[in-house]
Amino acid sequence: KDRLEESHRVNLGLQEEKEKLTEQVTIAAQLDATNIDMSILNKRNKVTKKIKDCKTIQVGFRIARNVTATNGQRTLYVRIQTPSGEVLKGGTFPYENRQIEYSMKKLVEYSGEEVAVLTYWEVKEYLSAGDYRVSIFADGSMIGTKTFSFK
């Protein structure tokens, strides 16, 4: 009876350890967006500093090398929030058990190596000067965010 109880305790301990390791592998396999950059382009597709001249928003970033992440096609969602907190709308996607808005989405082939990604948003509304927040999502997680100021 004592050996059975001891065996049961060991099994519970091993199961808890397995759950922790599975969680660590999941976190390690998560993609990471680096070198996030947001540029505003004028009607000639040249970078401009004034938001009033903006016709296109360009968001570029790199998906970092990660050998533990699974390879294959990934859908990346880019969300741009204006200084007033509104999202430049392109559609919705699932995030943390709800639907949230994204501005742009891009399908990329991920092979475990670093990948450069460029996305574009055509401006159809008035944009005000201030801080714009770019957030990037993949596989149900936020993989990068950065804030940019425009005059």
Side-chain angles (χ1 to χ4, degrees):
K1 189 175 180 181
D2 290 341
R3 278 192 263 154
L4 181 62
E5 288 177 11
E6 178 64 26
S7 176
H8 184 64
R9 276 194 298 269
V10 168
N11 282 344
L12 284 175
L14 289 173
Q15 188 172 357
E16 288 175 9
E17 186 176 336
K18 179 185 172 196
E19 288 172 4
K20 287 179 187 174
L21 290 173
T22 300
E23 185 178 322
Q24 288 176 345
V25 167
T26 302
I27 291 169
Q30 183 175 320
L31 298 180
D32 187 30
T34 61
N35 299 339
I36 301 169
D37 184 51
M38 179 175 162
S39 302
I40 53 177
L41 309 176
N42 62 19
K43 62 185 174 186
R44 293 185 199 97
N45 284 332
K46 302 286 183 199
V47 175
T48 182
K49 294 184 189 301
K50 296 178 183 173
I51 197 80
K52 70 179 179 94
D53 296 333
C54 179
K55 297 296 179 199
T56 305
I57 296 174
Q58 174 184 291
V59 176
F61 55 94
R62 299 180 96 55
I63 301 296
R65 180 177 188 268
N66 187 339
V67 294
T68 59
T70 55
N71 296 344
Q73 287 192 340
R74 303 291 181 91
T75 302
L76 306 174
Y77 297 96
V78 179
R79 180 178 158 105
I80 301 173
Q81 284 181 285
T82 64
S84 64
E86 292 182 39
V87 175
L88 300 178
K89 294 173 183 63
T92 62
F93 71 100
Y95 178 67
E96 294 184 349
N97 300 322
R98 60 192 170 109
Q99 292 289 318
I100 66 170
E101 296 170 327
Y102 67 85
S103 304
M104 302 166 279
K105 80 176 183 178
K106 180 110 179 196
L107 193 64
V108 297
E109 185 68 34
Y110 187 71
S111 64
E113 296 300 317
E114 186 173 79
V115 177
V117 180
L118 270 178
T119 58
Y120 298 91
W121 170 264
E122 188 179 329
V123 176
K124 297 177 182 141
E125 65 269 344
Y126 170 77
L127 296 177
S128 61
D131 293 339
Y132 286 76
R133 180 184 171 118
V134 174
S135 302
I136 301 165
F137 299 83
D139 304 327
S141 299
M142 184 188 299
I143 62 171
T145 187
K146 192 168 180 182
T147 302
F148 298 90
S149 293
F150 295 104
K151 296 179 181 186

